[in-house]
Structures are given as C-alpha cells and as structure tokens.
Amino acid sequence: MPQAGPDQGEPNRDVSFGAAQAQPGEGLSIRFDGRGDRLLSLGAINGVLKLVTAGIYSFWGKTEVRRRLWSFTRLNGEPLEYTGTGRELFLGFLIVFAVVVLPALLGGFAVALLFPGNRSVLLGYQITVYALFFFLVGNAMYRARRYRLSRTRWRGIRGALDGSAGRYGWTYFWTLALPVALTLAVIASQIEASMWSFVLTLPALALPMLLGKHWGIVIAGILATLWVMPWRANLLYRQITNDTRFGDQALRYDGGVAPLYQRYLFTWLGSTALYAVALLGTLLIANHYGVLDLSPDMPDVPPAPGPVGEPMPDADPNADITDEGEPADKKLPPAAGIGIGALWLLATLAVAVVTAWYRARQMQHFAAHTHLGAASFRSTVTGKGLMWLTVTNWLLGMSAILMAVALAALLMFGLTASGTVALPAPPDPGMAAAPGATQIVMTAFAVALVVIASTIATTFAQFRSARYFVSRMQLDGPVDLAAILQSSSHGPRRGEGLAQVFDLDAF
Amino acid sequence: MPSDPRQPFLGATYGRYSDGRSALAHDVNVSFGLTGLQITLEHGAPVVWSYGSLNAGEPLRPTAVDVLLSSSEAPGASLFVPGLDFANALSTYAPQLTARAERWRHTRPWLVLVGAIAAGIALIYAAGWSPIKATAGLLPETWRERLGDEARDSMVEGRALCTDGAGSTALLKLSERMSKAAGRDKPFRIAVYDWSLMNAFAVPGGQIVLTRGLIEKSQSADEVAGVIAHEMGHGIELHPETGIIRAIGLSAALELMMGGSGGTLGNVGLVLAQLGYTRAAEAEADLVAITVLRSSGIAVKGLGDFFKRVADMEGESGGLSKTLKPFTILRTHPPSAERAALVRRQPGYPATPALDAQAWDELRNICKTTQKPDARSPAPQ
C-alpha cells in the first residue's frame, strides 16, 4: 500500500473518505459538502460582469455556479466535476436564437405588416407560436439534461442520457395537450356567439368570464387536467431515468403509478380550488377596472403624443364615452394587468405550497424504485421541508428585487427632487415624450440594480435547492465501482440552447 | 508555510488517482515538481502533469479545502487531493486555475467587444449621423404607409373618421399647398377623427391625424396650419419611422441581454403606439414647421398662438394632465412657453391666411358627417 499519512506534511487528511480501493460491493455515500457564504460574492460578481458585457457573460457565470455546486456534491468524499464551458452554452444559445426565436419575432412583425389591424390573424399566429414552443419544451428539457449529464464526471467517469429527445418531447407534449385540448373544446362549445368577439380581443379573460357563467364546466375541466398529472409524471420519469447512464451502467426505474394516486387527493382538490380562485380573482379585477362592461367610470384611454409632445389637458374626462357611445376595442389598463399578474404569481406560490407534501411523496417513490445495479436510491425529503424551501426561495427572490427597485426609486427621487436633474414626463405606453437621455440613464440604473439583485437571489436559491435535495439522497446497497466503465459516447457538442431560450434552468 | 512561494512544497501529500477507464481509484503521492505535479503510483514511475496543462474541477478559491484536477496531457484521468495547504500552494504554481484568472479570461474578450461597440456608437452620434434614421429611410414606401395605417388605427381606437365633403376638400387644399411648399410631390394625407381630445400626431408613411377637439379649440385656420406644419416636420424628418425601429431594436437587444428570457416582443400594436418623441425631435420638428409655414406663405403667428394657448392650459392644471399629477414634483419648467418664444422670434414675411373664411368654416364642420371604421360603404358626400 502506498504510504500516505499525517507525517508526510499533510496535516488534515479527512478521515471521512472511504478507502480508495472500495471492496467490490461497498456502498457509495452521497453528501452535500458546501457552505453558502461565498455565494453572495459570486452572485454579485456574476451580476456585475453580466451587466458590463451586455448579458453575454451570463453563460460563463452560470457555468461557474454549476462548477461550484457540482463540487459541493460528494460521492465517497470525492466531488462531482462539471466539465461544461460557457462557450458551449453561448454557442447553443446563439444557434437556437437564430433558428427559432428570430424567425418567430420576424414572423410576428411580418404578420402585423401584411394583415394590419387584423386582430384574429395576429392572435392565431401568437397561438401557433406558443403551441410550437410548448411542443418543444419537453424536447428542450431532455436536451438540457443530456448536456448536463454528459458534462458531469466522477473519478473521470462521464454521465450520459442515451435516448431520443424527440420521443420524450412528444410524450411531454401529448400527455398534457390532450386533456387540455379536450377541456378547451368542451368549454369552447359553451361560448355564446356574442362572447366570441370579446374572446378574440381579450383571450386572457375568456376562462374567467366563463367561470362566472359556467363554473361547473370550468372546474370539471381543471379537475380532469390535473387528474392525469401523477400518471404523466411517472411516465416521464421512467422514460428519462431508464435512459440515464453512469459510465456504461444504466439506471433502472420500476415504480408503478398506484402509490402516487393514494396520496394525491388533497393536492388534486387543493390545486383545483386555488386555480379556480385565481380565475375568479382575475374576473373580479377585470370587472373592477371596467373592462367587461360599460360603466361610466372607465379610465381614460391613454392619448397619443400631441404637437406639444404631451397629452393635452382634458377638461372632460367622460367625453370619450358620452360623445361616441361604446369604444370599439377594449384594452386592459396597466393597473389591472399588474393586479392580475400579482394574483397569478401568488396563486403559483400557493399551489407550490399545497402540492409540497405530494411532491415529497412522489420524490420518495421515484427514488426508492430507481436502481443502479444492485443498489437503490432513497430520498428523505419531507413535505414540510419542500414547502419551506419553496417559500423561502420565493421570498428571497421577491425581497431582492423589491429592495433593488426601492433603492433605484429612492436614488431617482433624490436626484430629481434636489433639482440636479430635470425629468420630462415619464414614458407610458401610448403617452408622449419618449425618454430623454436622463431618463434612459435612470432606467438603466434601475435595471442594473435589479439584474444584480436577481442574480444573487437566483444563485442562492439554486444552492439551497441543491443542498436540500442532495443531502437527503442516499444510495443503499453495494456498488461495484470496478465494473463501472467509461462510456465511449461524448454527448452533445454544444450547450442546451433550446432550454436557455425557454429559460428551463433548475441549476 | 514556505515564505518564498517558488520554493518547492515540502514533502509529498496524499492524493487519489483515477485513470478514467473505470470508477476505481488508487492512493498516490503528489508533490510539486519544477515543471509540474509529480504523481507517484504504487507501482511504476512517477507521472508528471505540467502546470500549464492542469484543469481544476472548480475554479481555485482561497478558501478551497481540496482540489480535483485533470490534465490535458492525460485525458480522462482525474486526481483528487484533499488539504487546503496543497490547494493554496497550487494557486501559486498554476495561477491560471484561480477563480479570478478564469473570470478575467472569460470577461476580457467581451469587454473589448462591448467597448468597441460603445465607442462605435459614440462616434456615430458625434458625427451627427443617425443609422436608425438611415434604416428608416430604406423602408419601402408601401411598408411605411401600412405601418402608418396600423399605428393610426391603434391610436384612434375605432373612433369615427370625419368625412364632410366641403371640409375634406378644404383640408385637402391646405395639405396640397403646404406639402408642395415642403417639397413633397405626394401630399401628406391628413385625416380628422371624431375625438374630443385636443391632439394631433404623425404616423409613418406621410400621414397626419388631427382630432375634432383640436379643430374646435383652434381660433384660426393659421393655428391648425401651424399644427399641421409641425406634424409635417415630424413626417419629413422620419421621426415616426425612426421611433418604431428604435423601439423594436431596443426590444430585441433587451431580449438578447436577458439571455432569451426577457419575454417575447409582445403586441406589435403596442410597439407602434410608442410614438413618443425626444426633445431633440420636437425641436427639429418645430424648426421644419417654421420653414414649411414660411414656404407656404402662412404666418407663423398661428403656431405661436397655439403654443401660447397650450402653455396657458398647462399653467392652469399645474403643467400636466391629471394622469400625470402624481409626478408634478418632477417637472421643472413648461416647454410650451419656450417654443412659443421661439416662434415669436421669427422675422416676418408676406403671408396669406391658411384658409379663407368660408373654407375655415367648412373645415370646422368637417365632423358633421362621420364614417365608422368598419363601415365599408363610401361616406355620404
């Protein structure tokens, strides 16, 4: 045995390492070994560099975060290694941007030009694009996982995902699209002719509107769609797990669906209730802002820029209504939009909390039936722990952004109140006076603060999630390390461009 | 601790080496040689990994407690060395592995690029050339007119077009007179909409929109002509088209900056509605307006009276419409008074009224007959 010990100038050999020559069939310990104290500076540095390079550095920043998180993850005391590079991510993003995003943008512009003022065509185009993106999401997730696995090594042995991204993407798509399409078809059959023009101008309000009139159908639709979720999750997990490789060894999943449904009732009903409440809230907000009917206190339509560069003082606020009767096109005033957005944000958080216990159970079930050779995984996550993780991460993000916005607003206020800067009328959609130089600088400053704050918050959230999940994962049973051989495939050449563009990052 | 960082690290340290062919590992001794790391396995000669060829699993930080190394000279192999002394010493022998070196290496090319682009943009604007405006000028006429139609429709929002025959004729005559004076063979298309707000705006493609409110509140045809001249100024200088391209460019740039997660371009109509102008653009339009009025033989006094009246109205309501009241504290001075002053300073020239008394009367009644936008039948004459 080679000599190595404390008297060889190595004062602190960590005795928690397993022996290098593990006996055939020894366990593999999984630990998360890292502290979050340096992540603040990493996040801040990444944020600043992202700003000065107009966002391009974000690919390298993301890579450094991953390298750190991977090296916190220890098997038998030795870290995982992330061998991806920022350049790979950058190139992947460029390709997808040029091939997918840019044509979609230009297509939208072309449609707007060729069919000016035709709302239905524009709406149809947008729906088609979203459907296409939805079709590609599963594909993108698979590719992202494949890239990350192929860039993960332990003792030099690579991971891999040996399967078809298209097949996974298709499964991801149809298992959700089918129930949703059926539900929408039933709902559409209930929409009266008079409501169709309304649906076309404000599609986002169609469902809440129907909730008011045919709440039974809407609720039934949500229930039906959510009912298939456990089955869908199981199917997708099985597909992707059976494709996963560690070296030349495959993971194996043999779990069934029944145990999932045994714990699903509360989550199922709870989520449905929350979504119904959110829809109802949307309806109420829209109603309050007068978008749905012709109440006399309808807010001013923002006037266009006039010859003086600002909207003319209007002596008669109700002139629009009393003069001409009903305005032909309805628009959602900004305040309503913000209210509805906030409502759905809260709803999403609430759903995450309500589903936490079921998700923990699902994770335990998946892990227990995932095998590497003769060994099986075991996850000890709890519902309460998941809920707490979700809530705290969310609070972290929100407070970071709010602090940044508050700071920026304070600075802006201070500078203008002291007379240092003269501010022209602030820009609003449809209002006059596009921002002058001062305003651009102010906005840029606020954006900069928000970018840095959100980068820090995201980095922390990723770290906390990784720490939670990894530290609660075990591998029970013997693993024959000598039998795990390096695989010959090297995985994709470039990074997960599609996932970048759709922003599908867990880590 | 060696005081001279170049002194070889005293003694060897324990490491774990994997050849990358299987998941097994071997205990090894690791020491700092002159040119690279010396790795001694149990049997066999020591292997040397030169410092320049080293790669770390994670950028080396001052607080690192262990290191995972690989080398381009030995693809697939990896070496795990616990101990913060080793990690510290390694950063002096192989400084390219430190976090700071890595970040700088990756940032530098982009800083250079961004700097070059910023310098280029600064140069362009210093030279007075506006590439956005040049691009705007390249757009074909039909595209601009279509854009203009859509912008107009999204701003008037279904209000009726004023189509009284006599009034329309008067307006057309005025437009032809002023467009010819402005050097345009194709006259500006001017439309009046049944909108009580006092407003006027120019859209791409040589189109100007006036409101009933503007005409009702104007006290002479010269005032209306002044407003038309100002809007013609915007149109001649391609401000509407430039604004659109700038807005689209900003959206696309923002999207790129957010790494693709900044949201889609969104409603194109909303983009088109962002036809706000910078102060420079307003000033430019004012100057062109004065020229157009002079060439048309219409007195600039009308435009000045209009600005003065708006300045008075702004003074009444505290300088802002009620929607902007919360921001009153941010206003420092009313711009309209300035522009009235600019007009007053202009030297006089021989002028005739923009419209004779009868034509002015007809124009004031242009909204007697209106046509709703979705009506396909021609307006009654």
Side-chain angles (χ1 to χ4, degrees), chain A residues 248-263:
Chain A
D248 64 346
Q249 293 266 303
L251 287 184
R252 215 176 61 245
Y253 177 69
D254 57 11
V257 175
L260 292 177
Y261 277 100
Q262 283 165 7
R263 303 297 193 89

Side-chain angles (χ1 to χ4, degrees), chain B residues 6 33 81 85 101 149 167 191 197 203 217 220 249 258 267 343 351 361:
Chain B
R6 279 284 153 211
V81 186
D85 288 340
D149 287 343
L197 208 61
V203 295
K217 294 186 177 108
S220 69
M258 305 279 210
N267 193 355
V343 171
D361 216 36

Side-chain angles (χ1 to χ4, degrees), chain B residues 3 8 89 140 161 216 267 321 329 357:
Chain B
S3 48
L161 175 69
E216 280 175 354
N267 193 355
S321 79
I329 192 171

Side-chain angles (χ1 to χ4, degrees), chain A residues 378-467:
Chain A
R378 183 164 47 92
S379 174
T380 56
V381 299
T382 62
K384 181 154 152 227
L386 263 192
M387 184 226 17
W388 189 239
L389 181 71
T390 309
V391 169
T392 47
N393 275 347
W394 190 87
L395 283 176
L396 200 67
M398 283 291 121
S399 45
I401 293 186
L402 282 176
M403 272 200 300
V405 169
L407 196 64
L410 257 166
L411 260 136
M412 230 171 95
F413 198 75
L415 280 176
T416 49
S418 72
T420 319
V421 224
L423 215 58
D428 258 348
M431 283 209 172
T438 315
Q439 216 156 2
I440 291 185
V441 167
M442 288 293 169
T443 319
F445 190 65
V447 166
L449 280 183
V450 170
V451 165
I452 295 181
S454 64
T455 308
I456 295 178
T458 313
T459 309
F460 254 114
Q462 289 169 352
F463 165 75
R464 300 178 77 244
S465 301
R467 179 176 59 185

Side-chain angles (χ1 to χ4, degrees), chain A residues 53-63 66 82 84-98 147 493-498 500-501, chain B residues 106 109-110 113 256-257 259:
Chain A
T53 56
I56 301 184
Y57 183 80
S58 64
F59 303 104
W60 283 265
K62 202 180 291 188
T63 300
R66 281 185 202 171
Y82 180 73
T85 67
R87 174 200 288 196
E88 287 172 346
L89 294 182
F90 179 53
L91 289 178
F93 170 76
L94 279 186
I95 290 178
V96 172
F97 190 79
Y147 172 76
R493 270 208 321 273
R494 270 176 305 268
E496 40 195 70
L498 218 51
Q500 292 267 75
V501 161
Chain B
H106 292 136
W110 302 116
L113 183 67
L256 196 62
M257 240 188 82

